[in-house]
Amino acid sequence: MKQTHEKRTLVDRVIKWPQAGIVLALIILYLILAFAPTPAKNTFFLSGNIINVVRQSAIMIVIGIPITFTLAAGLLDLSIGSLACLGAVVTCAFITGHSSSQMEICPQVPLGVAILIGMAVSAFFGWLNGRIITALNLPPFIVTLGVQEIAKGAVLSFTRGFPVSNLPTYVVDVLGRGTLFSVPYTVYLMAVLLAVFWIILSKTRFGRHVYAIGGNVECARLSGINVKRMKMIIYVLNGCMACVAGLMVSFRLGSAQTDIGATYGMDAITACCLGGTAMGGGKGYMFGTILGVIFLSSLSTGFNLMNVNAYYQQIIKGVVLLVAIAFNARSGNTFKRKEKAK
């Protein structure tokens, strides 16, 4: 009887593990890619393709890090993809000395200064999100949607719809495409950022405050947490990390395209939900976000190898998002009701 009870306890723990669903999904996906009679069977697990999946995952994890903070705090940010584009375009413009291929003149500054300028611009728009939400008490969905459109308009106005190209060779070959032991530098950067923010979320007072705000914002306020300041910091973090992700893509391509990050926001939210992070706040898992990103990157790469139409891929991604939200809702993680403190 004791052994039976221990087995049931172990099974219950596995079922209740927040990442159980995404681990199972990954196992099923890789079994299909490995054994199903498709073009991906002989190519997906080649070293070159694995490195490509890891490179794609690195960029999305950089976006997923702040989105994990945002969702855990009970907030939402739909503008992060546009901020990635804006930060990348501004940075590349100051590196090259022109705002687009139409050669609109822009001051040329050293690489480090250009990165700081681009990050400051993205951070400002993140601050704008937080300021409007906290000052006017408006829903994050509406505010970030509006800021997203403003950022898109700013990019198109600044570049006239043309990409910022002709980046210096050292930027592209070293920062964008450089490797160490066959692993791209961008993966090492992602690993450092992930380690830092994982510790912040799980081991620091700031992280505990994030969870407290997401769990019950009124209780958090009454316990002495400066809720408005916390929200502002989270949205500024979103802007800074968005710029980093945008630069990772631009430096690799050798130009800043005006449509960078078009799907970053929804992809990151999907990855976080797949990993067990609650859209209603109070729960956030960096490990789950990593698994969610790897699943989406592997799924996308597998579809490309099987020549699945890009439009169908979008449909499937939408279905995956709905399934993830539904799974979280069944677990009591999504849009949970927050009782006011008495």
Side-chain angles (χ1 to χ4, degrees), residues 7 120 124 126 155 157 227 233:
K7 288 181 180 179
F124 169 76
V155 168
S157 298
V227 174
I233 292 173

Side-chain angles (χ1 to χ4, degrees), residues 148-161:
Q148 171 184 264
E149 295 304 312
I150 294 173
K152 284 181 180 179
V155 168
L156 295 175
S157 298
F158 185 61
T159 64
R160 296 188 178 182

Side-chain angles (χ1 to χ4, degrees), residues 167-182:
L167 290 176
T169 303
Y170 73 91
V171 172
V172 179
D173 292 343
V174 178
L175 300 181
R177 302 173 187 172
T179 62
L180 179 63
F181 305 118
S182 300

Side-chain angles (χ1 to χ4, degrees), residues 83-84 87-88 91 115 118-120 122 238-248:
L83 299 190
T91 299
I115 292 175
M119 195 169 292
S122 293
N238 285 5
C240 292
M241 295 294 281
C243 181
V244 172
L247 290 177
M248 290 168 69

Side-chain angles (χ1 to χ4, degrees), residues 88-165:
V89 163
V90 171
T91 299
C92 292
F94 278 95
I95 292 174
T96 60
H98 58 84
S99 64
S100 72
S101 58
Q102 296 301 294
M103 299 301 292
E104 292 294 326
I105 301 301
C106 179
Q108 189 171 13
V109 300
L111 175 64
V113 177
I115 292 175
L116 289 176
I117 293 173
M119 195 169 292
V121 171
S122 293
F124 169 76
F125 276 82
W127 174 86
L128 186 63
N129 275 327
R131 182 61 178 171
I132 295 174
I133 289 169
T134 55
L136 303 180
N137 197 29
L138 294 176
F141 175 87
I142 300 298
V143 175
T144 58
L145 186 63
V147 171
Q148 171 184 264
E149 295 304 312
I150 294 173
K152 284 181 180 179
V155 168
L156 295 175
S157 298
F158 185 61
T159 64
R160 296 188 178 182
F162 293 91
V164 181
S165 54

Side-chain angles (χ1 to χ4, degrees), residues 47-64:
S47 59
N49 190 65
I50 294 299
I51 291 175
N52 183 50
V53 171
V54 171
R55 182 187 285 113
Q56 291 180 18
S57 298
I59 297 168
M60 190 49 56
I61 287 173
V62 171
I63 291 288

